[in-house]
Amino acid sequence: MSRTDRRRYSTLRSGLVAGVGLVLALLALQAPQAAQATDPVNLGGSYVVDRVGVLGTRAAEVQDALDELSQTEGTNLFVVYVDSFTGVADREAWADDTAMKNDLGVNDVLLAVATDDRLYQLSVDPDFALTDAQLSELETTSIQPSLRQNDWAGAAINTASGLSELLGGESLSPPVVTPGEAAEAAGSGSSILTWALGGTVVVVAGAVGAVYLRKRSKAKAAEARQGADGPSQLELDREVGRLLVQLDDAVKSSEQELGFAIAQFGDDATASFVQALDSAKEKVRQSFALKQNLDDSTPDSAEDRRAWSLKIIELCTSADAELDAQADAFAALRELEKNPQPSLDAIASGVASVRQRIPAATQTVQSLRATYSADALATVLENPAQAEKLLAYADTTATAVPGLIAGGRASEAAVSIQRAQAAVAQSETLITAVGTLGAALQNAAAALASAVTEATNDIAEARALTATPQGAPRAAELSPLVIALESAIAQARKSGASDPVAALQALQGANAPLDAALAGVRDEAQRVARTQEQLSRTLTAASSTITAVKEYVVTRRGAVSVDARTRIAEAERLLNEAYGLQSTDPERALSSATQAYQFAQAADQAARIDVDAYSGYSGQGGAGQGYYGQGEQGVDGSAMLGGLLGGLFSGGGGSSRRSYSGGMFGGSSSWGGGGRSSGSSRSSGSSRSSGSRRSSSSGRSGGRRGGGGRF
């Protein structure tokens, strides 16, 4: 907006505000008893809050229904009647904020009704016993019929009885509805004179401001269109504020606690924690810089504000995950400090168990080498030897623990125990991977035989087609595809026995163009049968390849870079997508499965390159001693242990994610909001704690769920 436009707007706004102010003053004089719009309320320990006075003499009847629900099912129903939901973005946020403000828990249900706006909202904890479908049935059967007939008390009573029936495993009974009168709208007693005078002022002010309002309408329309595809800007602003405050607190707490963690467990064990904290701090810095852009006086477009808000949410969520991923490892270390002996016993048992499996695994590798090529077996050829190295490391590390404890170095002992545990787990995975690859190669060989037959049939079909008058014009298109596929079949027959996985991938790639070219001349039954056969084979191949590559990556995690990990993650995503589409859309499922197989192969290649490069680097003494503190080449004289275990111990990977508000190394759970306890007890004497953790997966502010709408 230009300076001239701003001056014009300032003048117009002054007139408009003055006019509206006069109207409000007149309304205040004429209607001092008008109802007020209501922000999220404090229940003050009550189960029924009627700010509009619609219950009248039936308030006791409503309370009895709520008491009966609490006594029979242990569920508390809170009911709030206001004229309008204000102070937040929408009715869902109003109900959720009211629930959070009053510490409602997992067995607490809130029914909020805005009588003037004729809106209602049901709000429950994510872990509440009823499903979304049951809650929807409750709304349509028990709540809406009462509200539409202005049966305000009946809405609460029928909700209570409906909850009791559903929680008891019964079907919903038809509601008992007693039609009533609509709530009196705010300001209905204002005089005609007031409205006439006010109307005149508003008309004049509106005429004066019409030019500006027309200009603003375009921007508002654009913002409305943007909001239709997701949360409104107001909702984004609220989420941005919440996340920034909580993440900033978590970073500050983690920063304070990191020094204690380093002193307790050492630099090595906390290395990735330092990295995670530094990354989170940088993301906080970026987020606050974007927030300043949102808050400064420079006008911003709706598109910019939305983009910046979404970026802040993305940064905060990412930083949250980085901090949370570190938490369980420290909890486990502290537990090992307190009681190390059970873990030491388990390590000794695990070492003995895996050692017993090494000879059989070695024999299996030798048998596989007699059939398959070195390339086909590259992911497991060294597994038995590497497993033995890990077991030797676990033995040495665990044996040193009692001396560390006796020397008053309990924290160092806990770190050593955790490392030994992981070494045993890694060695077991290495041995298991030998059998997994053997089965995958057998499956690939069987799939290759089917693929050769299928490709041969496609060639025959193409030749038969081009031999007909109708198909002859397509000879120029199909002949090169046939020749390429014949070459691929010959290569598959030549190399398939030694590397069926690679041969299958090459053959499927060569057959795809001809298969697509012939699709148009096949009838529906043929296409469906063909697609199903290809899908089944591709799903099996992709699944077994992904499993093998994941085992290879996890057992060489210190050497494998982000590229291979990214590709295997994408392969898993596509495979899950394919399985989900298998029954409803086989063609899309086949496309996803084929891509999953290709990404898995790419991940395999990238991981092997990484491991080869790491082996060459570590062979020159480049691995260092940062992994174990056992010297340049590790406990057995080989830095390859660094590639096998990698950063596993410099930050503890693989633990389940927790949500934090108190920092990385301690504090309360629920980073997105504290646990809640209802703290309420009914007159019946049923006192219970209903604390709950808010669900971060919910799309609603506050993490609660439930439906609502207009009645």
Side-chain angles (χ1 to χ4, degrees), residues 205-232:
V208 174
V211 174
Y212 171 73
L213 292 177
R214 280 198 300 272
K215 290 182 178 180
R216 290 286 294 164
S217 65
K218 293 183 179 180
K220 289 186 176 181
E223 187 171 354
R225 287 193 299 271
Q226 184 97 36
D229 297 329
S232 67

Side-chain angles (χ1 to χ4, degrees), residues 345-624:
D345 294 341
I347 290 168
S349 175
V351 168
S353 175
V354 177
R355 274 212 172 103
Q356 290 178 351
R357 298 174 58 191
I358 289 180
T362 302
Q363 182 59 46
T364 299
V365 169
Q366 294 303 319
S367 298
L368 292 173
R369 293 187 70 167
T371 304
Y372 303 107
S373 68
D375 283 343
L377 301 175
T379 59
V380 301
L381 282 176
E382 301 299 323
N383 280 19
Q386 290 171 344
E388 182 55 51
K389 292 177 184 178
L390 288 169
L391 293 178
Y393 169 79
D395 256 341
T396 302
T397 304
T399 301
V401 166
L404 294 173
I405 295 174
R409 298 156 67 186
S411 297
E412 189 176 341
V415 173
S416 295
I417 291 173
Q418 192 179 66
R419 293 173 174 177
Q421 288 174 326
V424 173
Q426 289 283 74
S427 65
E428 185 173 11
T429 302
L430 285 167
I431 297 303
T432 301
V434 174
T436 300
L437 181 61
L441 289 169
Q442 289 180 352
N443 291 335
L448 179 61
S450 298
V452 167
T453 300
E454 185 178 273
T456 303
N457 292 337
D458 286 350
I459 289 173
E461 184 179 351
R463 284 178 172 158
L465 175 63
T466 56
T468 65
Q470 299 86 349
R474 299 190 63 188
E477 170 197 359
L478 298 178
S479 293
L481 302 179
V482 167
I483 293 171
L485 185 54
E486 285 177 330
S487 176
I489 291 174
Q491 183 60 36
R493 285 172 172 162
K494 179 180 178 181
S495 64
S498 61
D499 194 347
V501 173
L504 177 62
Q505 182 185 21
L507 181 58
Q508 287 182 326
N511 195 17
L514 181 59
D515 182 59
L518 294 173
V521 299
R522 292 169 176 156
D523 60 31
E524 182 64 20
Q526 285 179 308
R527 286 197 297 271
V528 171
R530 175 61 178 257
T531 299
Q532 290 289 1
E533 183 179 354
Q534 289 179 320
L535 176 58
S536 176
R537 184 171 62 246
T538 307
L539 284 172
T540 300
S543 179
S544 60
T545 303
I546 288 171
T547 299
V549 176
K550 284 180 65 179
E551 288 176 340
Y552 184 74
V553 170
V554 79
T555 53
R556 291 145 177 97
R557 64 185 70 186
V560 178
S561 70
V562 67
D563 291 343
R565 298 169 190 264
T566 301
R567 286 162 179 74
I568 199 63
E570 180 65 6
E572 285 190 287
R573 184 191 71 79
L574 289 164
L575 182 64
N576 290 332
E577 181 177 273
Y579 277 118
L581 294 168
Q582 187 174 8
S583 59
T584 59
D585 194 340
E587 291 186 357
R588 281 184 60 200
L590 176 59
S591 175
S592 296
T594 301
Q595 292 179 68
Y597 189 30
Q598 292 168 348
F599 272 106
Q601 290 292 322
D604 180 39
Q605 183 178 10
R608 293 194 202 188
I609 292 172
D610 287 339
V611 171
D612 288 344
Y614 182 90
S615 298
Y617 176 67
S618 62
Q620 301 172 15

Side-chain angles (χ1 to χ4, degrees), residues 180-199:
E181 296 180 357
E184 184 176 352
S188 59
S190 300
S191 69
I192 296 175
L193 175 60
T194 299
W195 285 109
L197 292 174

Side-chain angles (χ1 to χ4, degrees), residues 21 24 30 43 148 167 224 227 245 275 293 309 313 333 346 456 539 571 593 645 670:
L24 294 177
Q30 292 295 322
L43 301 176
R148 286 176 182 148
L167 291 169
V245 170
Q275 183 179 7
N293 288 345
S309 299
I313 292 172
L333 281 172
T456 303
L539 284 172
L645 296 174
S670 269

Side-chain angles (χ1 to χ4, degrees), residues 74 76 105-108 676-681 686-692:
N76 297 327
V106 69
N107 292 323
D108 298 329
R676 299 200 313 265
S677 174
S678 70
S680 60
S681 59
S686 60
S687 178
R688 56 179 177 75
S689 172
S690 58
S692 66

